[in-house]
Amino acid sequence: AGTIGGVGNNGAGVVGVNWTVRLMALKFLNSGGSGYTSDAAEATHYATVMKAKLTSNSWGGGGYSQSLFDAIEEANRSNILFVAAAGNSSSDTDSSPNYPSSYINANIIAVAATDNRDQLAYFSNYGLRSVDIGAPGVNVYSCQPGGLYQYLSGTSMATPHVAGACALVWSINPSAAAAAVKQALLDGTEQTASLSGKCVTGGRLNVYSALQKF
């Protein structure tokens, strides 16, 4: 939440990608991070019913689920983006899929993690066909429950950077198609050597450029 929408210029905490945004928490995992894919599908469906513009999905695990695919496709038909973490197994998801990021729904943006030197994080999954873009995901400082702050690493930290960027781009034209927002993000990437051949765009998120492309 802090990475997506932390308010700036207030002398407190961290700054998010989009300072003026509405967030809705949808919980289907327990405090230990375990849960059921059926509940993930229900949460995705709920976001669609509530007319969310996008969901930020810093979670993953389990095999292919037709019900989750269908829920994401329902979101796609409702002009909703599904931003998803590529996973942290140092794996090529072209050959070893990571769900939900590896579903083929057109509204998914699968996100790898990069560090402050624009290197693909050692733990990050990648895939020339199955991962779309890289974003900062190493030693990211953001919110912690209880009004605190912490450093965390993972594609789970990269994902909200892209989700916040999508919301910011969309704010220019709230009635725009989800596909157009996704395309602006992908067209605006900063080309980086470490991502060449490792994801669809070969680049890392560049919010300014995405805004210019939209």
Side-chain angles (χ1 to χ4, degrees), residues 56-181:
S56 184
N57 299 275
S58 289
W59 57 274
Y64 182 93
S65 163
Q66 187 63 47
S67 63
L68 182 53
F69 175 91
D70 291 344
I72 298 171
E73 189 55 35
E74 177 191 34
N76 183 40
R77 294 194 301 269
S78 298
N79 204 43
I80 297 170
L81 288 173
F82 188 97
V83 186
N88 305 317
S89 303
S90 306
S91 299
D92 184 346
T93 55
D94 287 354
S95 53
S96 300
N98 171 79
Y99 297 108
S101 67
S102 291
Y103 288 116
I104 61 172
N105 310 75
N107 58 331
I108 290 177
I109 304 177
V111 187
T114 58
D115 63 20
N116 62 351
R117 296 166 299 155
D118 270 345
Q119 297 298 306
L120 179 68
Y122 74 89
F123 55 76
S124 181
N125 287 350
Y126 55 91
L128 181 57
R129 297 185 303 277
S130 54
V131 175
D132 294 298
I133 190 173
V138 178
N139 292 329
V140 174
Y141 191 61
S142 194
C143 299
Q144 182 179 4
L148 304 174
Y149 300 91
Q150 63 184 334
Y151 288 97
L152 289 173
S153 297
T155 56
S156 289
M157 282 70 249
T159 297
H161 281 95
V162 173
C166 288
L168 188 60
V169 169
W170 228 325
S171 70
I172 297 173
N173 180 7
S175 63
V181 175

Side-chain angles (χ1 to χ4, degrees), residues 1-8 14-23 142-143 160 164:
T3 300
I4 291 171
V7 176
V14 297
V15 173
V17 179
N18 187 346
W19 299 4
T20 306
V21 68
R22 290 191 298 173
L23 299 170
S142 194
C143 299

Side-chain angles (χ1 to χ4, degrees), residues 41-58:
E42 185 176 347
T44 302
H45 171 69
Y46 182 81
T48 300
V49 170
M50 296 302 291
K51 303 186 185 302
K53 300 293 287 187
L54 62 95
T55 56
S56 184
N57 299 275
S58 289

